[in-house]
Amino acid sequence: MMMHRVSKGRVRRWLACGLVLSMTSGLGAEPPGLEVGLAVREITPEVPIRLAGYAGRNRPADRVDHPLVVQAMALRNAADNRFVFVALDNCEVSRAFMEPVLRELARRHEVPPGAVAVVSSHTHSAPVIEATLIDMAQPSADERQRIQQYSGRLRDTLVEVVGAALADLQPAALEYGLGRATFAMNRRVYKGDRVVFGDNPDGPVDWDVPVLRVKGADGATRAIVFGYACHGTSVRSGDDWYVVSGEYMGYARQHLEELHPGTMAIYLTGMGADSDPSPRGLLVHARRHGVELAGAILTVLNGPMRPVRGTMKTAYAEVELPLVDPPGRDRLEADAQSADVHIRQRAQAYLKRLDAGEPLPRAVPLPVSILRFGDDLTFIVMGGEVVVDYARQFKRLLANDNPWPVGYAYEVPCYIPTARLIKEGGYESDSSMIYYGFYGPFQTSVEDKLVSCVTAMATDLRTP
Ligand SMILES: [Zn+2]
């Protein structure tokens, strides 16, 4: 941990963000000397298996459309600071799921906190995993056992793929560009005083398609990293709802790898938790959006891209996001009798804590990191299902830093709404909290807290 280049005033601003867990920096005069390592493992499940992300599904998937993978891209600068993006074909991971994986990675590779960011693609057509929204699916005992087996293998594979990427580190050069795809649709529709799901063409979206080309010492393209800010929910009905698939991002990856043989295409999910693909319904919609996204990326790759030459620097913090006060025992006991199994289970979990003398949740810790390459490119990497207002704010406030917002990173404790969404209510700020096991909503101050923390971290890493 190297803190010597940070002034006192800045450290104080940082501490206002919460717990600063690690910070690395380049040595100033060092040559760029960037190295990149890549690795991929297949993680396609055996069917039948329950799929994650929808409470409405009532049986396991019985078909696989195309393989699921986990990829790792390790980065190292000349000062031996390392950062690993792990792109995972799954809905999301929780802190409890990741804990043993991160412990093992720290033991084997001495990576500091925050240096490994698992970014879930948020495909809603991948298996349910342990300790992650498992009650949303209400699996049977037999289905639970399959989930456990898959989860054990997935944890081992995550450790393995990160190790393989770190072992593959070799000199690399980066190029960055920005494209555009327009299938992300704001999904918050205002009906009287309620917010319901639907297509809202007037609502905010982020249609940017950031693209990073990773080239080897010989100039050949080794990887194409791309992002998009939209749920992996093209498929939501009929028999297709019970098919394993990587969703639109998986199809985009397939097209890119077919057109660029020997190249790894890596998807990093953006901040678009209040966007759904449009149109949507069947696998054909996921394929269609995959074609559009791949086309946008190819346009960027075929045009002039800007070199990313700046020295890599990283910072990582956990921000405490305050919830409103938890309900009293009376309300919890009433909810524990609810006809809705999800409301019942949330109340039962809170009552269990009360009975054990444990404090009820009053805040949610959220991992946030910055991965900065001089003034050329700045990844803003956050946990949770981050809504699009954040992406748009970061792009405005940090316009000169070439920001690339990444959500669903590290772990997903719940949705991360802005003050606007908290005031409006609806799924992302209110009813989704039931599945995540929290009584909410968040206090509206979470927005200021996150935005000031991210901007302070990003600007502190600016090249002086
Ligand atoms: Zn979601």
Side-chain angles (χ1 to χ4, degrees):
M1 191 153 73
M2 300 163 82
M3 302 283 287
H4 58 276
R5 295 183 62 212
V6 180
S7 75
K8 257 186 175 174
R10 281 173 174 176
V11 170
R12 219 171 289 128
R13 259 200 300 143
W14 267 58
L15 292 176
C17 304
L19 197 57
V20 179
L21 291 169
S22 74
M23 181 175 173
T24 62
S25 73
L27 300 175
E30 79 187 75
L34 183 76
E35 293 183 328
V36 173
L38 300 165
V40 59
R41 295 289 184 273
E42 193 177 330
I43 53 166
T44 312
E46 281 170 29
V47 291
I49 192 142
R50 292 297 299 267
L51 301 183
Y54 287 105
R57 279 201 191 98
N58 53 21
R59 61 178 167 89
D62 49 17
R63 193 159 72 78
V64 175
D65 189 66
H66 72 109
L68 304 186
V69 297
V70 57
Q71 304 154 311
M73 178 173 71
L75 302 126
R76 180 168 69 188
N77 68 12
D80 197 30
N81 299 142
R82 293 167 297 166
F83 189 93
V84 187
F85 275 121
V86 182
L88 172 66
D89 276 348
N90 200 280
C91 193
E92 57 195 62
V93 294
S94 67
R95 176 167 291 203
F97 179 85
M98 283 306 297
E99 210 163 39
V101 175
L102 295 176
R103 209 183 317 122
E104 184 60 18
L105 285 172
R107 191 184 70 79
R108 288 193 193 184
H109 306 292
E110 293 175 356
V111 283
V116 177
V118 170
V119 182
S120 299
S121 72
H122 209 47
T123 168
H124 282 43
S125 300
V128 175
I129 56 172
E130 256 180 340
T132 308
L133 284 182
I134 197 162
D135 290 330
M136 196 174 192
Q138 296 291 311
S140 67
D142 183 47
E143 289 165 358
R144 240 171 228 277
Q145 207 186 344
R146 286 175 163 276
I147 291 167
Q148 248 171 29
Q149 284 164 356
Y150 182 78
S151 301
R153 285 202 302 273
L154 179 57
R155 282 190 175 113
D156 292 346
T157 309
L158 283 165
V159 172
E160 190 188 309
V161 77
V162 171
L166 288 169
D168 180 59
L169 285 163
Q170 49 193 282
L174 307 179
E175 290 174 351
Y176 168 71
L178 206 54
R180 179 181 157 97
T182 60
F183 61 87
M185 171 72 78
N186 188 286
R187 68 182 197 184
R188 292 169 58 82
V189 173
Y190 302 90
K191 273 214 167 132
D193 59 352
R194 288 188 317 133
V195 183
V196 298
F197 282 123
D199 279 5
N200 178 0
D202 299 321
V205 286
D206 176 5
W207 283 347
D208 285 347
V209 180
V211 180
L212 187 71
R213 191 207 306 263
V214 181
K215 296 195 297 188
D218 59 355
T221 301
R222 294 179 60 209
I224 301 161
V225 186
F226 63 102
Y228 198 56
C230 183
H231 260 79
T233 48
S234 310
V235 185
R236 62 154 184 190
S237 56
D239 287 344
D240 286 358
W241 218 23
Y242 299 93
V243 175
V244 174
S245 106
E247 261 279 345
Y248 69 80
M249 49 292 265
Y251 296 110
R253 194 176 62 215
Q254 273 191 325
H255 291 308
L256 294 169
E257 291 184 351
E258 274 165 26
L259 289 163
H260 292 261
T263 299
M264 194 184 293
I266 300 172
Y267 174 71
L268 296 179
T269 317
M271 299 179 180
D274 42 351
S275 291
D276 275 328
S278 178
R280 59 196 285 246
L282 302 172
L283 271 168
V284 68
H285 297 108
R287 292 198 185 102
R288 168 189 163 157
H289 301 316
V291 169
E292 184 184 340
L293 189 53
I297 296 155
L298 290 169
T299 304
V300 175
L301 292 171
N302 292 334
M305 293 179 74
R306 281 193 322 208
V308 176
R309 296 201 183 98
T311 298
M312 182 180 94
K313 296 179 194 172
T314 64
Y316 175 71
E318 272 185 28
V319 188
E320 288 283 319
L321 302 179
L323 296 159
V324 298
D325 288 343
R329 186 176 273 276
D330 285 0
R331 157 102 191 270
L332 294 173
E333 278 170 356
D335 281 0
Q337 306 300 319
S338 168
D340 182 325
V341 62
H342 305 290
I343 290 178
R344 215 158 57 226
Q345 285 180 332
R346 174 177 64 170
Q348 285 161 354
Y350 267 53
L351 285 168
K352 212 170 146 189
R353 292 179 79 137
L354 274 187
D355 294 342
E358 288 170 23
L360 295 177
R362 289 181 173 274
V364 176
L366 193 73
V368 175
S369 71
I370 302 290
L371 175 66
R372 195 177 170 113
F373 297 87
D375 293 334
D376 300 329
L377 182 62
T378 305
F379 285 98
I380 300 163
V381 186
M382 268 168 64
E385 300 205 45
V386 189
V387 301
V388 74
D389 285 354
Y390 284 106
R392 289 161 65 97
Q393 277 198 70
F394 295 143
K395 287 181 184 191
R396 199 176 65 245
L397 296 168
L398 298 168
N400 292 336
D401 306 277
N402 294 302
W404 181 329
V406 177
Y408 300 89
Y410 297 103
E411 63 196 39
V412 176
C414 57
Y415 276 82
I416 310 300
T418 47
R420 174 177 75 83
L421 269 70
I422 295 167
K423 285 175 196 158
E424 291 173 357
Y427 185 74
E428 293 83 3
S429 48
D430 188 16
S431 44
S432 62
M433 289 298 247
I434 300 168
Y435 304 110
Y436 282 109
F438 290 113
Y439 277 87
F442 282 113
Q443 295 181 28
T444 51
S445 60
V446 295
E447 177 175 349
D448 265 357
K449 213 171 171 187
L450 271 173
V451 171
S452 55
C453 179
V454 163
T455 47
M457 285 168 75
T459 50
D460 276 357
L461 295 185
R462 267 185 195 149
T463 310

mmCIF file of all heavy atoms in Angstrom, residues 53 91-92 122 124 187 231 233 273 385 408 415 427 436, ligand 1:
data_model
loop_
_atom_site.group_PDB
_atom_site.id
_atom_site.type_symbol
_atom_site.label_atom_id
_atom_site.label_comp_id
_atom_site.label_asym_id
_atom_site.label_seq_id
_atom_site.Cartn_x
_atom_site.Cartn_y
_atom_site.Cartn_z
ATOM 1 N N GLY A 53 -32.676 -14.966 -11.021
ATOM 2 C CA GLY A 53 -33.050 -13.601 -11.407
ATOM 3 C C GLY A 53 -34.533 -13.304 -11.485
ATOM 4 O O GLY A 53 -34.913 -12.141 -11.483
ATOM 5 N N CYS A 91 -25.922 -14.230 -12.907
ATOM 6 C CA CYS A 91 -26.750 -13.091 -12.534
ATOM 7 C C CYS A 91 -25.962 -12.177 -11.595
ATOM 8 O O CYS A 91 -25.837 -10.988 -11.833
ATOM 9 C CB CYS A 91 -28.037 -13.588 -11.878
ATOM 10 S SG CYS A 91 -29.285 -12.318 -11.703
ATOM 11 N N GLU A 92 -25.415 -12.770 -10.541
ATOM 12 C CA GLU A 92 -24.639 -11.993 -9.578
ATOM 13 C C GLU A 92 -24.058 -12.908 -8.515
ATOM 14 O O GLU A 92 -24.413 -14.081 -8.441
ATOM 15 C CB GLU A 92 -25.517 -10.928 -8.914
ATOM 16 C CG GLU A 92 -26.748 -11.486 -8.226
ATOM 17 C CD GLU A 92 -27.766 -10.401 -7.907
ATOM 18 O OE1 GLU A 92 -28.264 -9.773 -8.865
ATOM 19 O OE2 GLU A 92 -28.045 -10.165 -6.730
ATOM 20 N N HIS A 122 -24.851 -10.418 -15.327
ATOM 21 C CA HIS A 122 -26.257 -10.235 -14.978
ATOM 22 C C HIS A 122 -27.178 -10.905 -16.001
ATOM 23 O O HIS A 122 -28.346 -10.492 -16.146
ATOM 24 C CB HIS A 122 -26.608 -8.764 -14.780
ATOM 25 C CG HIS A 122 -27.734 -8.541 -13.795
ATOM 26 N ND1 HIS A 122 -27.793 -9.145 -12.574
ATOM 27 C CD2 HIS A 122 -28.882 -7.804 -13.872
ATOM 28 C CE1 HIS A 122 -28.893 -8.788 -11.953
ATOM 29 N NE2 HIS A 122 -29.584 -7.982 -12.711
ATOM 30 N N HIS A 124 -29.859 -13.361 -16.848
ATOM 31 C CA HIS A 124 -30.885 -14.000 -16.020
ATOM 32 C C HIS A 124 -31.166 -15.424 -16.500
ATOM 33 O O HIS A 124 -32.193 -15.999 -16.177
ATOM 34 C CB HIS A 124 -32.172 -13.172 -16.032
ATOM 35 C CG HIS A 124 -32.116 -11.967 -15.126
ATOM 36 N ND1 HIS A 124 -31.023 -11.138 -15.046
ATOM 37 C CD2 HIS A 124 -33.032 -11.463 -14.242
ATOM 38 C CE1 HIS A 124 -31.272 -10.168 -14.175
ATOM 39 N NE2 HIS A 124 -32.484 -10.343 -13.661
ATOM 40 N N ARG A 187 -36.944 1.209 -17.875
ATOM 41 C CA ARG A 187 -38.068 0.300 -17.599
ATOM 42 C C ARG A 187 -38.984 0.800 -16.497
ATOM 43 O O ARG A 187 -39.817 0.052 -15.998
ATOM 44 C CB ARG A 187 -37.525 -1.072 -17.229
ATOM 45 C CG ARG A 187 -36.786 -1.103 -15.904
ATOM 46 C CD ARG A 187 -36.242 -2.490 -15.636
ATOM 47 N NE ARG A 187 -35.894 -2.637 -14.219
ATOM 48 C CZ ARG A 187 -35.326 -3.717 -13.721
ATOM 49 N NH1 ARG A 187 -35.030 -4.733 -14.488
ATOM 50 N NH2 ARG A 187 -35.051 -3.783 -12.424
ATOM 51 N N HIS A 231 -29.894 -4.588 -18.290
ATOM 52 C CA HIS A 231 -30.156 -5.919 -17.743
ATOM 53 C C HIS A 231 -30.014 -7.022 -18.790
ATOM 54 O O HIS A 231 -30.327 -6.801 -19.965
ATOM 55 C CB HIS A 231 -31.588 -5.973 -17.193
ATOM 56 C CG HIS A 231 -31.676 -5.815 -15.720
ATOM 57 N ND1 HIS A 231 -31.596 -4.607 -15.096
ATOM 58 C CD2 HIS A 231 -31.824 -6.740 -14.740
ATOM 59 C CE1 HIS A 231 -31.712 -4.777 -13.796
ATOM 60 N NE2 HIS A 231 -31.841 -6.066 -13.543
ATOM 61 N N THR A 233 -31.927 -9.434 -19.593
ATOM 62 C CA THR A 233 -33.297 -9.946 -19.424
ATOM 63 C C THR A 233 -34.069 -9.938 -20.739
ATOM 64 O O THR A 233 -35.269 -9.677 -20.752
ATOM 65 C CB THR A 233 -34.059 -9.084 -18.388
ATOM 66 O OG1 THR A 233 -33.858 -7.696 -18.737
ATOM 67 C CG2 THR A 233 -33.594 -9.324 -16.978
ATOM 68 N N ALA A 273 -29.114 -0.602 -14.203
ATOM 69 C CA ALA A 273 -30.004 -1.532 -13.489
ATOM 70 C C ALA A 273 -31.479 -1.195 -13.672
ATOM 71 O O ALA A 273 -32.331 -2.017 -13.382
ATOM 72 C CB ALA A 273 -29.654 -1.554 -12.005
ATOM 73 N N GLU A 385 -26.508 -3.480 -7.964
ATOM 74 C CA GLU A 385 -27.231 -3.199 -9.207
ATOM 75 C C GLU A 385 -27.372 -1.684 -9.282
ATOM 76 O O GLU A 385 -28.288 -1.101 -8.710
ATOM 77 C CB GLU A 385 -28.613 -3.868 -9.189
ATOM 78 C CG GLU A 385 -28.559 -5.379 -9.050
ATOM 79 C CD GLU A 385 -29.794 -6.048 -9.633
ATOM 80 O OE1 GLU A 385 -30.209 -5.671 -10.738
ATOM 81 O OE2 GLU A 385 -30.340 -6.939 -8.973
ATOM 82 N N TYR A 408 -22.301 -4.196 -10.885
ATOM 83 C CA TYR A 408 -22.360 -5.638 -10.582
ATOM 84 C C TYR A 408 -20.973 -6.204 -10.287
ATOM 85 O O TYR A 408 -20.683 -7.357 -10.609
ATOM 86 C CB TYR A 408 -23.018 -6.409 -11.738
ATOM 87 C CG TYR A 408 -24.426 -5.963 -12.031
ATOM 88 C CD1 TYR A 408 -24.686 -4.924 -12.922
ATOM 89 C CD2 TYR A 408 -25.508 -6.561 -11.385
ATOM 90 C CE1 TYR A 408 -25.984 -4.504 -13.185
ATOM 91 C CE2 TYR A 408 -26.810 -6.148 -11.642
ATOM 92 C CZ TYR A 408 -27.035 -5.116 -12.541
ATOM 93 O OH TYR A 408 -28.309 -4.710 -12.798
ATOM 94 N N TYR A 415 -30.020 -3.433 -5.093
ATOM 95 C CA TYR A 415 -29.981 -2.305 -6.040
ATOM 96 C C TYR A 415 -29.332 -1.101 -5.360
ATOM 97 O O TYR A 415 -29.421 -0.943 -4.128
ATOM 98 C CB TYR A 415 -31.391 -1.925 -6.484
ATOM 99 C CG TYR A 415 -31.904 -2.771 -7.620
ATOM 100 C CD1 TYR A 415 -32.462 -4.022 -7.377
ATOM 101 C CD2 TYR A 415 -31.820 -2.332 -8.939
ATOM 102 C CE1 TYR A 415 -32.931 -4.809 -8.429
ATOM 103 C CE2 TYR A 415 -32.283 -3.109 -9.990
ATOM 104 C CZ TYR A 415 -32.835 -4.343 -9.736
ATOM 105 O OH TYR A 415 -33.281 -5.114 -10.772
ATOM 106 N N TYR A 427 -39.620 -0.686 -8.054
ATOM 107 C CA TYR A 427 -38.873 -1.920 -7.819
ATOM 108 C C TYR A 427 -37.432 -1.667 -7.379
ATOM 109 O O TYR A 427 -36.969 -2.229 -6.389
ATOM 110 C CB TYR A 427 -38.879 -2.775 -9.092
ATOM 111 C CG TYR A 427 -38.233 -4.128 -8.904
ATOM 112 C CD1 TYR A 427 -38.883 -5.135 -8.205
ATOM 113 C CD2 TYR A 427 -36.962 -4.398 -9.421
ATOM 114 C CE1 TYR A 427 -38.282 -6.380 -8.024
ATOM 115 C CE2 TYR A 427 -36.367 -5.637 -9.247
ATOM 116 C CZ TYR A 427 -37.030 -6.627 -8.548
ATOM 117 O OH TYR A 427 -36.434 -7.850 -8.366
ATOM 118 N N TYR A 436 -33.677 -9.189 -1.549
ATOM 119 C CA TYR A 436 -32.318 -9.064 -1.013
ATOM 120 C C TYR A 436 -32.289 -9.161 0.517
ATOM 121 O O TYR A 436 -31.235 -9.092 1.137
ATOM 122 C CB TYR A 436 -31.683 -7.750 -1.481
ATOM 123 C CG TYR A 436 -31.199 -7.819 -2.910
ATOM 124 C CD1 TYR A 436 -31.834 -7.133 -3.929
ATOM 125 C CD2 TYR A 436 -30.092 -8.595 -3.237
ATOM 126 C CE1 TYR A 436 -31.385 -7.207 -5.240
ATOM 127 C CE2 TYR A 436 -29.634 -8.674 -4.539
ATOM 128 C CZ TYR A 436 -30.282 -7.984 -5.532
ATOM 129 O OH TYR A 436 -29.824 -8.065 -6.826
HETATM 130 ZN ZN ZN B 1 -31.263 -7.041 -11.866
#
